[in-house]
């Protein structure tokens, strides 16, 4: 039986260290923020290559806190992709602003910078365009060079949703550091996951970091009972921080292993002559391979291929079967079928294969060998 992700294999590898770390926190009497969280934030900032890492309760909270720090609210528009997890756009609605969707690139599945300008112009009709949330889908960073150009033309901020891309790179920069604000998630299934919920914000901006730290604890001012703005309960707990500190140490090795798995999949799929498009990683980029997602020619071919894998006991997933502009939660935005043809076509054809650092060559060959397409 091949698992979709293998948190059990990873746990067995780090069990002693994780259990010692958790016990240390339980015995310390300090359960929220504190020294474990401080140490993690320092290690995260160093890993990502930014001045400040501010941990928080989830990836969704990280996005919400970033938008709150930018003063985004009703009447504001924030551009984002419809081909992502709910939270990327939900965060915009949670602060009372309006998500404005922009179609994605058919090869990288990330926000298409060429379509941004038109979306900003349309949004300007009855909203104030304020910023862009670009998503590093499946672990591959978006094209921030091109996105920043459009952002500068229209005086917009850029937030990098790096929930799936922790550890990825573009040039010599890590994901999380590719825009002025990076937001990530430590949900267990992400490339760096804890054993509960967690997230973090990254920035080089001292003032923004200060704002994040205040918003994280109810808009706290100079002391605990002084509130200078509206905030949230967005803290990371010490148990998760201690676990993440252990896991961060093995992440570089895990990223290398994921890289090897992705390369082996690509080679095996090509050699087998399967009618599948394998993921494209443009020059200068590296993916953290949160998912290994392939494209079938149409919905029927996808269903047949998934069925052949299921018959061999191999799990697959579909990220995402329904783009966000067609979700009923966003019905009031007035989008309809046909608005974002690339995202819609991807959602009908894409599926993800098992992906984790501990996938063996034999497993990869068994998976590719079981595919009928
Ligand atoms: C997982 C995810 C989030 C949200 O993270 P949580 O920690 O689950 O709140 C946001 N954006 C993307 C792209 C994600 O995959």
């Amino acid at each position: 039986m091949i698992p979709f992700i293998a948190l059990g294999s990873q746990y067995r590898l780090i069990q002693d260290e994780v259990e010692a770390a958790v016990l240390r926190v339980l015995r310390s009497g300090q359960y929220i923020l504190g020294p474990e969280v401080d140490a993690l934030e320092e290690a995260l900032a160093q890993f990502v290559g930014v001045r400040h890492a501010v941990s928080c309760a989830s990836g969704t909270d990280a996005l919400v806190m970033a938008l709150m720090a930018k003063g985004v609210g009703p009447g504001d528009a924030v551009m984002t992709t419809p081909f992502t997890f709910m939270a990327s756009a939900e965060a915009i609605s949670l602060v009372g602003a309006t998500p404005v969707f922009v179609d994605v690139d058919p090869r990288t599945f990330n926000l298409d910078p060429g379509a941004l300008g038109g979306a900003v112009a349309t949004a300007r009709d009855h909203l104030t365009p304020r910023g862009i949330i670009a998503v590093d889908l499946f672990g591959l960073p978006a094209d921030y060079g091109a996105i920043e150009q459009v952002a500068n033309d229209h005086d917009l901020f850029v937030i990098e949703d790096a929930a799936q891309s922790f550890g990825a790179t573009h040039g010599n920069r890590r994901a999380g550091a590719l825009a002025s604000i990076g937001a990530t998630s430590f949900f267990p299934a992400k490339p760096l996951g804890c054993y509960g919920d967690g997230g973090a914000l990254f920035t080089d901006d001292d003032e923004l970091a200060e704002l994040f730290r205040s918003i994280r604890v109810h808009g706290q001012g100079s002391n605990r009972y002084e509130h200078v703005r509206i905030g949230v309960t967005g803290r990371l707990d010490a148990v998760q921080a201690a676990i993440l500190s252990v896991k961060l140490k093995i992440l570089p090795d895990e990223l290398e292993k994921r890289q090897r798995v992705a390369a082996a999949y690509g080679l095996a799929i090509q050699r087998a002559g399967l009618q599948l498009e394998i993921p494209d990683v443009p020059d200068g980029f590296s993916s953290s391979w949160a998912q290994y997602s392939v494209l079938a020619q149409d919905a029927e071919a996808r269903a047949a291929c998934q069925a052949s894998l299921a018959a061999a006991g191999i799990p697959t997933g579909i990220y995402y079967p329904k783009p966000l502009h067609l979700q009923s939660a966003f019905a009031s935005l007035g989008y309809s079928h046909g608005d974002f043809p690339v995202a819609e076509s991807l959602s009908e054809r894409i599926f993800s294969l098992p992906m984790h650092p501990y996938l063996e060559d034999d497993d990869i060959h068994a998976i590719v060998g079981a595919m009928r397409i």
Side-chain angles (χ1 to χ4, degrees), residues 58-60 63 84-85 87-88 135 161 163-164 185-187 190 197-198 320:
S58 71
T60 308
L63 292 169
T84 177
F85 180 60
S88 311
V135 179
D161 181 344
Q164 300 182 7
S185 163
F186 301 127
F187 182 78
K190 310 285 177 170
D197 280 304
Y320 295 88

Side-chain angles (χ1 to χ4, degrees), residues 274-276 294-312 314 316 349 351 353 367-368 370-373:
L274 297 169
Q275 296 278 333
L276 282 176
V294 294
L295 280 177
Q297 280 179 323
D298 52 38
E300 291 72 39
R302 173 176 72 182
C305 194
Q306 284 190 287
S308 64
L309 286 164
I314 296 158
T316 56
R349 301 189 293 132
F351 65 105
L353 301 176
I367 292 164
V368 174
M371 286 201 245
R372 299 284 171 266
I373 194 159

Side-chain angles (χ1 to χ4, degrees), residues 339-362:
D339 284 343
F340 303 107
V342 180
E344 289 166 24
S345 165
L346 293 174
S347 68
E348 285 163 14
R349 301 189 293 132
I350 206 158
F351 65 105
S352 304
L353 301 176
M355 169 48 93
H356 58 80
Y358 308 101
L359 207 54
E360 306 281 352
D361 275 349
D362 288 352

Side-chain angles (χ1 to χ4, degrees), residues 4 20 57 70 72 75 89 95 105 145 147-148 168 171 222 224 244 277 285 299 303 314-315 319 324 343-344 346 364:
F4 194 63
K70 283 289 184 184
V72 175
V95 299
D105 180 289
I147 291 168
E148 290 284 356
S222 53
R224 190 179 288 192
L244 285 165
E277 277 178 57
F285 289 80
I314 296 158
Y319 307 102
L324 296 186
E344 289 166 24
L346 293 174
I364 294 167

